[in-house]
Amino acid sequence: MTPQRRVTLADIAAACGLSKATVSMVLRDNPQVHPNTRARVRAELDRQGYVYHRGAASLRRAGAVNAVALVVNDLANPFFAEFAAGVDAALAEAGHVLLLGSTGESVERQHAVLASLVEHDPAALILSPAEHSSAARLRRVLGARLPVLLFNRRLDGDGPGDWDYLALDNRAGARLATEHLLARGHRAIAFFGGHRDSSSCSERREGYRDALAAAGITPDPAWLIECAPTRQEAARQTPALFVRDPAPTAAVCYNDAVALGLMAGLAACGRRAGADFAVVGFDDIAESAFATPALTTIATEPRARGLQAARLVLARLRGELPASPHTTIAPVALQVRASTAAAPDSPLQSSVQARGPAA
Amino acid sequence: MTPQRRVTLADIAAACGLSKATVSMVLRDNPQVHPNTRARVRAELDRQGYVYHRGAASLRRAGAVNAVALVVNDLANPFFAEFAAGVDAALAEAGHVLLLGSTGESVERQHAVLASLVEHDPAALILSPAEHSSAARLRRVLGARLPVLLFNRRLDGDGPGDWDYLALDNRAGARLATEHLLARGHRAIAFFGGHRDSSSCSERREGYRDALAAAGITPDPAWLIECAPTRQEAARQTPALFVRDPAPTAAVCYNDAVALGLMAGLAACGRRAGADFAVVGFDDIAESAFATPALTTIATEPRARGLQAARLVLARLRGELPASPHTTIAPVALQVRASTAAAPDSPLQSSVQARGPAA
DNA sequence: CTGAAAGCGCTTACAG
DNA sequence: CTGAAAGCGCTTACAG
């Protein structure tokens, strides 16, 4: 099925009775070449079905590399899928191409994937690092030449960090979520899901503590429940919320996947999310608006973050960013939907399905 | 941030007092080189942080290209995200790298994206073509050298086709879906969503007609409703189901996105999916099992399809497939959940929430 | 306006 | 077991 030899600049040049240099200039729209020559070459290029070999070009001229690598945890996770879609859109618009890899949250796999991607000489890398990624080790695999933008998580052992960084405002988001539950009359509020040693989780927990502290509440350690940030694990861990009496009446979840899993877990133990127990997520993936009840959550706009990440990286490549590492904290907003009912003993109780924003 | 010159084979060779040829052999584990030499070279490679330049290698030796391109409609669509995750997993396992693009269902964008991807010299392409893709035009952009695997849709004007093809058994799936609704007592069954001029939609419509015909039912043209295969469009088109009296009591949907949108649309016009109206989807994306009611659908296992697609393409590259184009039809299975209630006038009516498979 | 030559980082015969 | 030279497909000075 693939017999033919590749059509090369030399073929076109020979067919036109020109040198490769001239044909090369036509390809890059160099105005020096005569319009007639240009037209002849164009016709021949088309006739022979020439396809430009960017790898060969980049060998001679470094600027020709236009691939950007993106490494995320898992594409099947809608948060990352929406993020990747945004990155892809911005790159395609700029004429760049996307090299994709995924880590499955394993540093070993991350290592292998990056080592493989980097051999393809991407111009830059957008990396949402796996948990427990070490800065030193990453630097070894990536070399010192590749501009890197970290997304969403910091690295273990990376003090100030010398890579660009795009983060969500995790702390503010979790604070908003918690304040919303407080406003709806809840006092015993859990923080559910995630691993506290990931920077995103610990930042969210801080925001949660901030809000509780401001309300004069000290969180019971039993309210802090870890689990892998997946729907399945969250559903499985749900009973852990109710081992103590009195149990929490609401939970701030590490992310939407956890929140959705928790809602399933609540149903499985005979509780109605949004009526008997309030839940708020983090991310606002597309699905959350359609859940039953619709999920109150913190909107992070993953697709917009993807666009933003790609644009930061392109700006870095064009030298439009200051030489020092650049940190961007994306703002985040509370999205009130139906999953955050008022607390059972609250005067707000009558409106079982909260729909408007808390006063 | 990216000052340093690239470390090259010549640097390593010089530092070791060897020739580039020897270092090159070490890189590819050529057993000819002396163990001591190998060790010295390895140490130096590591010390200088050498990273292999696959593009340069592939210029000399064609086999070195190990990128595979994947072009799908939209990553934010879970069906494609799960498919892409499968492709990625299989490629990573085989040491290949993924070049990703998306078309947004636009042939113009598809053209641009493919032209750009192809310049990076991928070893093969997995393409889920945009609607109305023309075989002739694709062949022009892609050249004749690139092995292509079409996924999910045929091309306009592509008779037998000379590219490999991986399809879902659309006709059988839609037949199963329709038979299930018939078994639950429905007679007026709509086919909802999709564009009939896409091959996947027309195949699904055929399966639907097959099942109705076998039951002696001629579908009312008003039961065939087209809409873009997205949740939003499906929700918007829902009222079209109920313009005629008597209206259908059930619908086979083009895919899960449409089915989920229809369920939202039903709610919006005061109907309860799974109780007042039965709906069955197609795909079984992760979300469908968690919908309320849980969606009865046709399981296509998108992730497994992705693994399969990648493996087919790798087999083609290794010359393990016959020279003629290879067509694979992936089997598909009915997944009964709660969204397919019995018809209102049916004796099965008592069990409003269907949970077991139809007898 | 066009061409001859050198070179990007690798690998491949071919010598030794 | 190791090296010198040529070449993959392009681009870049430098001549003319």
Side-chain angles (χ1 to χ4, degrees):
Chain A
M1 282 192 83
T2 345
Q4 303 94 332
R5 189 177 77 59
R6 157 171 222 116
V7 175
T8 166
L9 267 199
D11 298 320
I12 309 297
C16 295
L18 292 166
S19 75
K20 295 188 304 174
T22 305
V23 177
S24 173
M25 295 176 106
V26 173
L27 286 180
R28 278 162 306 111
D29 285 319
N30 186 317
Q32 280 182 58
V33 10
H34 189 96
N36 290 343
T37 314
R38 184 200 311 283
R40 264 198 311 142
V41 170
R42 288 253 171 77
E44 189 61 22
L45 252 9
D46 197 55
R47 205 183 64 72
Q48 296 202 31
Y50 173 79
V51 358
Y52 187 64
H53 192 308
R54 206 170 271 278
S58 80
L59 212 48
R60 193 64 174 86
R61 165 160 179 53
V65 207
N66 76 344
V68 170
L70 168 66
V71 172
V72 297
N73 181 353
D74 178 15
L75 266 189
N77 175 333
F79 176 74
F80 288 116
E82 292 174 31
F83 178 76
V87 171
D88 173 61
L91 290 181
E93 191 191 1
H96 286 248
V97 129
L98 179 62
L99 273 171
L100 187 84
S102 53
T103 65
E105 203 72 277
S106 142
V107 289
E108 290 315 317
R109 183 140 181 240
Q110 172 171 270
H111 185 278
V113 161
L114 288 174
S116 176
L117 282 175
V118 126
E119 294 185 351
H120 286 83
D121 197 32
L125 167 68
I126 300 171
L127 172 64
S128 182
E131 282 184 6
H132 309 301
S133 298
S134 111
R137 189 165 178 207
L138 279 176
R139 245 170 283 264
R140 294 250 329 281
V141 206
L142 297 178
R145 293 170 38 81
L146 186 67
V148 175
L149 172 71
L150 252 23
F151 174 62
N152 198 30
R153 289 218 275 248
R154 306 219 87 117
L155 266 20
D156 285 8
D158 190 39
D162 62 346
W163 282 331
D164 293 328
Y165 182 44
L166 170 62
L168 306 173
D169 198 342
N170 289 312
R171 188 164 179 172
R175 185 161 31 71
L176 287 173
T178 311
E179 286 169 353
H180 171 63
L181 291 171
L182 289 165
R184 311 234 78 217
H186 296 277
R187 309 290 294 170
I189 301 173
F191 188 96
F192 188 72
H195 293 305
R196 75 177 149 222
D197 44 1
S198 82
S199 67
S200 55
C201 183
S202 71
E203 289 165 12
R204 289 174 197 182
R205 284 189 174 194
E206 277 181 75
Y208 156 83
R209 279 178 212 280
D210 290 347
L212 290 185
I217 299 174
T218 309
D220 182 330
W223 297 351
L224 293 165
I225 297 174
E226 286 190 87
C227 77
T230 67
R231 178 127 61 172
Q232 299 70 38
E233 283 310 301
R236 178 144 50 187
Q237 280 299 312
T238 300
L241 282 167
F242 304 105
V243 291
R244 289 266 284 249
D245 191 27
T249 61
V252 174
C253 294
Y254 170 68
N255 68 10
D256 283 3
V258 164
L260 264 7
L262 170 57
M263 300 212 300
L266 289 169
C269 59
R271 291 180 165 84
R272 292 164 306 151
D276 304 334
F277 191 91
V279 3
V280 22
F282 205 112
D283 285 348
D284 200 16
I285 59 177
E287 184 177 342
S288 297
F290 293 94
T292 309
L295 182 64
T296 294
T297 188
I298 300 298
T300 61
E301 304 195 69
R303 188 172 204 282
R305 291 317 128 234
L307 292 167
Q308 186 176 17
R311 282 176 190 143
L312 281 167
V313 136
L314 294 173
R316 168 63 71 203
L317 288 175
R318 286 191 291 255
E320 295 169 6
L321 254 37
S324 59
H326 193 265
T327 290
T328 313
I329 309 288
V332 115
L334 176 67
Q335 181 67 256
V336 177
R337 289 196 278 248
S339 67
T340 39
D345 51 0
S346 148
L348 300 159
Q349 208 346 20
S350 52
S351 73
V352 165
Q353 300 273 89
R355 293 211 173 261
Chain B
M1 284 189 84
T2 345
Q4 303 93 334
R5 191 177 75 58
R6 159 172 220 116
V7 176
T8 166
L9 268 199
D11 297 321
I12 308 298
C16 295
L18 292 167
S19 74
K20 296 188 304 174
T22 306
V23 177
S24 173
M25 294 175 106
V26 172
L27 287 180
R28 277 161 307 110
D29 285 318
N30 187 317
Q32 280 182 58
V33 11
H34 190 97
N36 291 343
T37 312
R38 183 199 313 281
R40 262 198 312 141
V41 171
R42 287 253 171 78
E44 189 60 23
L45 252 9
D46 198 54
R47 204 183 64 72
Q48 297 202 29
Y50 173 80
V51 358
Y52 187 62
H53 193 310
R54 208 170 269 278
S58 82
L59 212 48
R60 193 65 175 87
R61 166 160 179 54
V65 208
N66 77 344
V68 170
L70 168 66
V71 172
V72 297
N73 181 353
D74 177 15
L75 266 189
N77 174 333
F79 176 74
F80 288 116
E82 292 175 30
F83 178 76
V87 170
D88 173 61
L91 289 181
E93 190 192 2
H96 287 248
V97 129
L98 180 60
L99 273 171
L100 186 83
S102 54
T103 64
E105 203 69 278
S106 142
V107 289
E108 290 315 317
R109 184 143 179 237
Q110 172 171 270
H111 184 278
V113 161
L114 287 174
S116 175
L117 282 176
V118 126
E119 293 185 351
H120 286 81
D121 197 32
L125 167 69
I126 299 171
L127 172 65
S128 182
E131 283 185 6
H132 310 300
S133 298
S134 112
R137 188 164 177 208
L138 279 175
R139 244 171 285 264
R140 295 251 326 282
V141 205
L142 297 177
R145 292 171 39 82
L146 186 67
V148 175
L149 172 70
L150 252 24
F151 173 62
N152 197 29
R153 289 218 274 247
R154 307 220 88 117
L155 267 20
D156 285 9
D158 191 40
D162 62 344
W163 282 331
D164 292 329
Y165 182 46
L166 170 62
L168 307 172
D169 198 342
N170 288 312
R171 187 165 180 172
R175 185 160 33 70
L176 287 173
T178 312
E179 285 168 355
H180 172 63
L181 291 171
L182 288 166
R184 312 232 83 226
H186 295 277
R187 310 289 293 170
I189 302 171
F191 187 96
F192 189 73
H195 293 305
R196 75 177 150 222
D197 44 0
S198 82
S199 67
S200 54
C201 183
S202 71
E203 288 166 13
R204 288 174 197 182
R205 284 189 173 194
E206 278 182 75
Y208 157 82
R209 278 179 214 279
D210 290 348
L212 290 185
I217 298 174
T218 309
D220 183 329
W223 297 352
L224 294 165
I225 297 175
E226 287 190 86
C227 76
T230 67
R231 177 126 62 171
Q232 298 71 36
E233 283 309 302
R236 179 143 52 187
Q237 280 299 312
T238 300
L241 282 166
F242 303 105
V243 292
R244 290 266 284 245
D245 192 27
T249 60
V252 174
C253 293
Y254 170 67
N255 67 11
D256 283 3
V258 163
L260 264 7
L262 171 56
M263 300 212 302
L266 289 169
C269 59
R271 290 179 166 86
R272 292 165 305 152
D276 304 333
F277 191 90
V279 4
V280 21
F282 205 112
D283 285 347
D284 200 16
I285 59 178
E287 183 177 345
S288 296
F290 293 94
T292 310
L295 182 64
T296 295
T297 188
I298 300 298
T300 61
E301 303 193 70
R303 189 172 205 282
R305 291 317 128 235
L307 293 167
Q308 187 175 17
R311 281 176 191 143
L312 281 167
V313 137
L314 294 173
R316 167 64 71 205
L317 288 175
R318 287 191 292 255
E320 295 169 6
L321 255 36
S324 59
H326 192 265
T327 290
T328 312
I329 308 289
V332 115
L334 177 67
Q335 181 67 255
V336 177
R337 290 195 277 246
S339 68
T340 39
D345 51 358
S346 148
L348 301 160
Q349 211 342 25
S350 52
S351 72
V352 164
Q353 300 274 87
R355 293 211 173 262

